[in-house]
Every structure is written in C-alpha cells, then in structure tokens.
Amino acid sequence: MIHDVRKNPGLLKLDLYCKGIRLGESCSVGEDGGRQIMRTRAGLGSGLEVILQDELHTNIPVVEDFALNSPYLLNREPDGSYRIYHESGPVAPVKLALRPAWYDRKTSSGRKMSRIGTLQGTYLAIYPAKVCDYWLEKPERVNCKFCSVGLNLGRDDADEKTVEDVLETVGAAVEENKVTYVDFNTGHYKGDTYLDILEPFIRVVKKKYGLLIGVQTPPHHDLSRYHELKKIGVNRVSFCFEIWDRERFKEVCPGKNRQYGLDRYLEAIEYCAKIFHTTNGEIVVGLESPEKSIEAIDWITSVGAVPTVCVFRPLKGTDYEKVHPPSTEEMIPVFRRMYEACMEKGLMIGVAPNIKVSLVLLPEEGRYFLDNGNRYYFTRAKHAILRPLFKAAVKRRFI
Ligand code: SF4
C-alpha cells in the first residue's frame, strides 16, 4: 500500500474523513460554484463536497470541532483552482463538486428543489417522508446516537414531498447531471409504513425515467414485500444495522434495538441478497472495535451482500458530538478487508455507471489499501467486462 496521501487518493479520502479540513481565507466555495454545506440525511455528511484525484468524490468534515484542528487546509490558488495542504506541505489539487442550477429552482407546488433531493457525489438522494419516529418519542428520544436526521428536517429538507415534487426534481437532476441512480431513504415509522410511503414514488420515477433505484429503510416484517419492490423496479436495498457488537448496538441504536433487534436486520439482508442485484449491509466504523467491524464485513459478504462502511462523524448537535472520530491507522485494515472480502466472494462492485459516492469509501475504493495491487486479477477482469454491458443495459432500461 502507498502510505503517502499525496500519491494515494484513497488514503487521502479516508484521512480527511478522520481528520477533517480547515477552509483557508482565500476559499470562496459558493462564488466558485461549489455546493453549500448541508446537513445531509442519516447523519454522516455535513461537509464540503469535492472531487479528489482519480475522480474520487468525497464529503470532507469542516464544521465539526475536530475539523477546526485538522492538519489539512484547503486553499484557493491565485489561478482560482483549489489545493489541499498539510502542515508539512502541499498535498493534492481538488475540484469543487459543482452546485446544480436546479437547487435554486422551485417545483410547481412552490417547494425549492434542493429541499426535495440533493446530489451526494453523483447520485440523487431523496428522503420523502417525515422525520424518523425515534426522534419524536417522549419523554426520551430513542434515535441512533450519531444521527442528525431530526436536526435536519425543516432546515435543509422539506417535511412533506409530493410525488410531483419528486418527479420534477428527478427530471431536473437527470437533465442537468445525467444522474443514473436515485436513492430513497426513510427512518422508522410506526406500523412499518415506510415501504407503503415509498412505493408510489418508486413506481413513477421508474416508469418515467427508468433509472436505477435504491431503497434504504428498516427491515419490513413481511419479507415478501421485497419481491414486490423488485417487481416495481428497485435495484438495490440497503439495511443500516450500523453496529455488529450486540451490547454496543443497544447503546448506539436504542430505537432499532427495541423495535427490530439486530437479528431482524441480518435476516432481511440475507433474504434480500437472493433477490436483488445489490443488497447492502451498512455499518458505521469508529463506534466499536475495528475487529468487530471486520466481523460484520465478513458476515455481510458471506451471505452475498455488499458492505457499506461509513466512518463515524461526530456531527454538531447530535448525542455523540463530543465523541472523537476514529484514527486513520485503525481504519485502514477495515477498508482493506472490505475490498478483499468483496473480491474473494466475487461480488459485483464498481460496475454501475456514473455512481460516485461522497459519503463513504466505496467497496471498490478499498483497493487503495491493498499491499499488492495486482491481487484478484480475474475478478477485476470480470468487472471490467461487465461495466460496459451494465452501462448499456441501464441506458436501454433493461435493468
Ligand atoms: S433509524 Fe436511526 S439513523 Fe435512521 S433516521 Fe432514525 S435515528 Fe436516524
């Protein structure tokens, strides 16, 4: 593995998640067309969206306390370009992820489009329903401790979104940004209503635009519902169980533990991995030991699902705002294992067209942490063959 962040953009992406960055006085992100800093859903992204070398999209922490002490500094150079510096010297040029013009447009019902959906990397993320019920419970909230969703809605998100609002926003993102993938996300709602809420949105978006569609919700008690989701055009489902250690899961995610329990998440992942093109098991690293995170990755891949691994970020205003982010050194073996486990199982990673994710290191980006970059030659060759085929299939709406 290349240990120098100036030569290894994957390592730089990870190091920036763990350390954040300071914005130099010369920076004028808004005037230069960059995306404003938003508190984005599910509570992991609050930072500056930029594109590192190798076209790695990322969302760098800038407003949290730890970022204010970061050794990294972002500067605007005299020619208007941006460059990351470390205390020890220049690191790498970066590009700002551009703010879409449609963010400022309004839907026909008068809602600002940026409050209906946001670009995260190159895909469109939509949180169509009201705030997660765990945030509303009295006398004591039972939300996941790292989550900021209850702080976000009403600020950067519109509370109620109609099918028309969503259709118009997706249309704008397709036209301007050529998005290929829309991700629908909800929290928990009493009565397991999240799939009922999402289905009308999914049907119309699939019918009108034929995009790849993902759904991230709690695990529905009726697993046969996932066959219906597949029929209406969902390509990917994702279940965020966050924490593998059972005692830690109870502490970090009290609502999920009481309502569903870890086993229901695992059961849904195993079930859906047999149905969907991609099923993700999502974890947050940095809130339990790296060994536990690696156990989670090995279990997820053992059932044919793909791990989504988020680095814990102590977002302002959350229950864990004072908790330290993990160290880069501890995280390297986790991300290396994420890649190795996917390749050992021959999972289809990195084949979907134009999907660059800023909030996490993608499974295929784990290759930056390998000691021997030539490993998994045949699986990589298979992915290289499948990539254009997959792209053509998406274009022709076969998927
Ligand atoms: S389930 Fe947890 S992470 Fe998801 S929105 Fe609710 S509180 Fe946040």
Side-chain angles (χ1 to χ4, degrees), residues 156-212:
D156 291 332
D157 264 323
D159 287 345
E160 295 295 333
K161 296 160 189 179
T162 66
V163 165
E164 267 316 304
D165 287 330
V166 169
L167 261 189
E168 290 172 26
T169 306
V170 172
V174 167
E175 197 182 324
E176 182 179 336
N177 307 103
K178 310 281 176 273
V179 294
T180 52
Y181 174 67
V182 183
D183 195 66
F184 290 97
N185 196 305
T186 77
H188 161 71
Y189 306 120
K190 200 163 164 239
D192 278 11
T193 53
Y194 30 85
L195 297 184
D196 306 320
I197 294 168
L198 290 187
E199 281 178 5
F201 293 98
I202 294 166
R203 285 179 202 277
V204 294
V205 170
K206 194 73 179 188
K207 187 163 177 224
K208 182 148 189 193
Y209 297 105
L211 301 174
L212 294 171

Side-chain angles (χ1 to χ4, degrees), residues 42 127 132 134-135 143-144 146-147 149 186-188 242 256:
Y127 194 111
C132 170
Y134 297 149
W135 279 86
N143 57 283
C144 305
F146 55 81
C147 175
V149 160
T186 77
H188 161 71
E242 328 289 6
K256 287 183 180 185

Side-chain angles (χ1 to χ4, degrees), residues 226-290:
Y226 293 100
H227 292 280
E228 181 58 24
L229 274 194
K230 167 92 176 169
K231 262 194 226 147
I232 65 173
V234 170
N235 304 92
R236 165 200 182 248
V237 287
S238 174
F239 299 98
C240 306
F241 61 88
E242 328 289 6
I243 303 286
W244 183 249
D245 182 285
R246 285 175 187 265
E247 285 309 307
R248 209 48 198 129
F249 177 73
K250 284 184 198 162
E251 280 168 40
V252 179
C253 308
K256 287 183 180 185
N257 177 60
R258 190 196 61 197
Q259 189 72 31
Y260 303 95
L262 185 55
D263 286 326
R264 191 152 135 195
Y265 277 86
L266 304 186
E267 192 189 351
I269 291 170
E270 196 165 357
Y271 189 88
C272 288
K274 297 184 181 82
I275 306 176
F276 290 94
H277 177 268
T278 304
T279 297
N280 289 104
E282 187 160 328
I283 56 172
V284 178
V285 290
L287 290 175
E288 62 183 334
S289 71

Side-chain angles (χ1 to χ4, degrees), residues 3 27-29 57 72 79 101 147 215 219 271 279 289:
H3 290 269
C27 294
S28 49
V29 173
H57 285 247
Y72 290 106
D79 65 359
C147 175
V215 165
Y271 189 88
T279 297
S289 71

Side-chain angles (χ1 to χ4, degrees), residues 7 41 44 71 77 179 198 296 303 319 342 354 364 385 389 393:
K7 298 186 183 135
R41 40 206 74 52
L44 290 167
E77 306 288 76
V179 294
L198 290 187
V303 298
D319 296 319
C342 290
N354 189 30
E364 60 271 26
I385 292 166
L389 298 177

Side-chain angles (χ1 to χ4, degrees), residues 106-121:
K106 290 196 169 158
T107 64
S108 11
S109 69
R111 292 184 173 93
K112 209 168 161 192
M113 287 189 174
S114 63
R115 299 190 67 190
I116 305 297
T118 51
L119 277 190
Q120 289 174 9

